[in-house]
């Protein structure tokens, strides 16, 4: 078993506290480091004025005027409350979970308060402001509630929360999609979804569907039955051998040929393509984890009388998955970013919408602002995922020590 | 704890066999690991199995709960014959506890969850009852204060005692020990052997593969000496240690006692 080295707290010695000494020690300690320092400073000095000039002339009106479009695409404007309700659901669940898993109260309540202040003072219209404030309140209230409930019965409420997360995915899908003939939630087909909403829907559906599929494929590849093993191996290797973009094209063209009786929406075809693609990579990650579980663990489970499925679910998978958690999260992050490829098959997710905004002559020459905004949005979500994974690793690492 | 010859004979009647092995063979590819092992273990009997490495002693006790499949011969445990039938295998594994050289505790579960896993999932015991049982067993092996820790936070000796508690939680009729002290630092061997001695006193049927000859002499009713995949000498400890019959056992004893 690998024992993680405990992080040593950085000690500030008097030597490093003195800035001149620090600079001499870290930037000019050898002749080549001095050279690099001088070159880097010169490059920065050359670039800085241009950057400043661009920032001075940047016009963010292109982003603020198209904010709704960038975030929601062509979702019916009178139905936007459904997206807000979905946001409220997710953020309240985040709050509850943070409270239940002993998140830092100052950080969570503080973040909610800062967000609420921004929502009050920012340039929002009345309904948006209300929903934003409601969401902030949802996070804060969820946090306190999660703390309170788990202080009372921890194991029970944590299990309830996991169940709520699982249920939230179909619930949000239903909320967004609605159904035909409903006056409360009239049907809004996936073709009307766009912008960040579509990006997130594609990413979440891809993650939620490819995770179990990938586990099954990994188990299949290690199966004792040759037929299953060959099918799974062939699938994994074929999918890994082609780029996502070709799978997306194939999904657009082939699915209607295979299933001519159903009119499958373009967005659903993209979801299928992304899921099938991601599952193959997920399978290889999980397989790595499965190989790392020592034989003795399985023997001990068998010796206790656990059957094959119990051994897999209680002993092997928990250890395998936590061992490859960083790789899995890394894959989810690239899946999120890879959703931008659906722009090529004509879907208007975040990047697609951005390009269509730029096609409007009103916003001629504002590429930098728009792409910077898009990049920032991707960064926020990717970075949140990786920091959440780091927290999770620390929490789960307890068992390894 | 001193030797008490009296307890050895407790609870056994000669006509009450719990394990019957007849002509058990096992191959690893072309390597003939077990070559016709036959023996009978009575209820409550303590058997110590020793022999040079590669002699098949670990393989033999691992066939008794089917961690290794035997290829010829018969093994009958508590009236059930071990065959390919999964139901028979599971029934036997419920009655046979095992302790491994490398402990094999589940690192992602707390000590308490390690012990309650079998009772809850296999015996369908209520969690609360299982935890009560687990605490009693931790008390018995002397580490009730470690229940909420993870295995990685315990010393080797403590881990092995948890492993014994985990096996006992299934309330088995037979306990198998596969070199339980071989991976331990010398100062931790005693704490594990003490628990095993106490278990022997309680009348448990035990099969122990070990090189701890002091333990064997004190606790065993019978010693099986393995060499080249078969039992070459089978005797009570007194005879085995003072007057070994077989050339190979004499050599083994001289090496292990005078090294």
């Amino acid at each position: 078993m690998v024992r993680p080295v405990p992080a040593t707290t950085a000690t500030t010695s008097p030597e490093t506290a003195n800035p001149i000494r620090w600079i001499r020690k870290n930037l000019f300690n050898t002749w080549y480091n001095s050279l690099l320092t001088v070159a880097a400073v010169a490059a920065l000095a050359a670039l800085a004025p241009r950057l400043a000039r661009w920032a001075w002339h940047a016009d963010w009106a292109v982003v603020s005027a198209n904010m709704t479009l960038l975030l929601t695409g062509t979702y019916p404007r009178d139905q936007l409350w459904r997206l807000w309700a979905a946001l409220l659901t997710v953020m309240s669940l985040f709050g509850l979970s943070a409270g239940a898993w002993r998140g830092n109260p100052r950080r969570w309540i503080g973040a909610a308060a800062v967000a609420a202040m921004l929502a009050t003072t920012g340039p929002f219209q009345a309904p948006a402001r209300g929903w934003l404030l409601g969401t902030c309140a949802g996070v804060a209230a969820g946090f306190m509630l999660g703390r309170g409930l788990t202080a009372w019965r921890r194991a029970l409420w944590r299990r309830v929360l996991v169940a709520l997360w699982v249920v939230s995915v179909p619930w949000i899908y239903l909320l967004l999609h609605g159904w035909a003939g409903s006056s409360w939630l009239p049907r809004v087909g996936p073709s009307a979804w766009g912008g960040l909403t579509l990006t997130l829907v594609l990413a979440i559906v891809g993650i939620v569907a490819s995770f179990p599929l990938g586990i099954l494929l990994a188990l299949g590849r290690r199966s004792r039955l040759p037929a299953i093993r060959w099918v799974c191996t062939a699938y994994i290797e074929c999918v890994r051998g082609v780029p996502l973009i070709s799978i997306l094209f194939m999904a657009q063209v082939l699915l209607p040929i295979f299933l001519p009786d159903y009119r499958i929406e373009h967005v659903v075809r993209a979801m299928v393509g992304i899921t099938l693609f991601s599952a193959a990579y997920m399978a290889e990650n999980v397989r790595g984890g499965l190989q790392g579980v020592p034989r003795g663990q399985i023997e001990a489970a068998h010796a206790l009388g656990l059957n094959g499925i119990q051994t897999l679910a209680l002993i092997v998978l928990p250890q395998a998955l936590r061992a490859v958690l960083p790789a899995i999260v890394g894959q989810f992050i690239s899946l999120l970013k890879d959703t931008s490829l659906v722009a090529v098959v004509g879907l208007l997710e975040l990047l697609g919408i951005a390009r269509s905004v730029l096609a409007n002559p009103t916003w001629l020459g504002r590429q930098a602002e728009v792409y910077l905004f898009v990049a920032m949005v991707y960064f926020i979500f990717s970075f949140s995922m990786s920091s959440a994974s780091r927290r999770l690793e620390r929490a789960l690492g307890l068992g390894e020590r | 704890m001193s030797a008490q010859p009296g307890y050895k004979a407790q609870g056994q009647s000669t006509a009450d066999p719990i394990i019957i092995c007849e002509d058990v063979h096992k191959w690893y590819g072309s390597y003939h690991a077990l070559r016709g092992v036959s023996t009978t273990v009575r209820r409550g009997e303590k058997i110590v199995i020793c022999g040079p490495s590669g002699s098949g002693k670990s393989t033999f006790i691992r066939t008794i709960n089917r961690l290794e499949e035997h290829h010829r011969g018969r093994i009958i445990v508590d009236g059930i014959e071990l065959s390919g039938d999964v139901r028979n295998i599971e029934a036997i594994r419920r009655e046979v506890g095992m302790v491994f050289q490398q402990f094999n505790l589940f690192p992602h579960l707390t000590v308490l969850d390690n012990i309650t896993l079998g009772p809850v999932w296999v015996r369908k015991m209520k969690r609360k009852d299982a935890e009560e049982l687990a605490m009693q067993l931790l008390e018995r092996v002397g580490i009730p204060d470690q229940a909420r820790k993870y295995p990685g936070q315990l010393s080797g000796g403590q881990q092995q005692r948890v492993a014994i508690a985990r096996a006992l939680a299934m309330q088995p009729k037979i306990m198998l020990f596969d070199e339980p002290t071989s991976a331990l630092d010398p100062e931790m061997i005693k704490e594990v052997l003490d628990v095993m001695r106490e278990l022997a006193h309680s009348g448990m049927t035990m099969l122990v593969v070990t090189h701890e000859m002091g333990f064997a002499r004190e606790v065993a009713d019978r010693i099986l000496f393995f060499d080249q995949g078969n039992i070459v000498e089978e005797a009570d400890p007194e005879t085995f240690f003072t007057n070994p019959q077989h050339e190979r056992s004499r050599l083994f004893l001289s090496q292990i006692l005078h090294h």
Side-chain angles (χ1 to χ4, degrees), chain A residues 196-257:
Chain A
L196 180 63
T197 307
L198 181 57
T199 296
L200 293 181
V201 167
L202 287 172
I204 291 168
V205 168
I207 288 169
V208 170
S210 71
F211 186 57
L213 193 60
I215 291 175
L216 288 179
L217 281 169
L219 294 173
R221 192 168 184 173
R222 285 164 55 92
S223 168
R224 247 172 300 171
L225 306 172
I228 294 178
R229 194 168 61 233
W230 291 336
V231 168
C232 291
T233 308
Y235 174 85
I236 291 167
E237 294 306 333
C238 286
V239 169
R240 294 205 314 158
V242 290
L244 173 58
I245 193 125
S246 63
I247 289 183
L248 287 174
F249 277 125
M250 277 198 273
Q252 298 297 329
V253 178
L254 290 184
L255 275 183
I257 295 176

Side-chain angles (χ1 to χ4, degrees), chain B residues 46-64:
Chain B
K46 287 90 183 112
I47 307 279
V48 165
I49 301 168
C50 57
S53 60
S55 60
K57 51 195 192 309
S58 282
T59 306
F60 171 64
I61 72 162
R62 287 159 60 88
T63 57
I64 291 170

Side-chain angles (χ1 to χ4, degrees), chain A residues 107-122:
Chain A
R107 184 186 301 170
W108 281 85
I109 303 287
V114 169
M117 250 158 55
L118 288 176
T120 320
T121 55

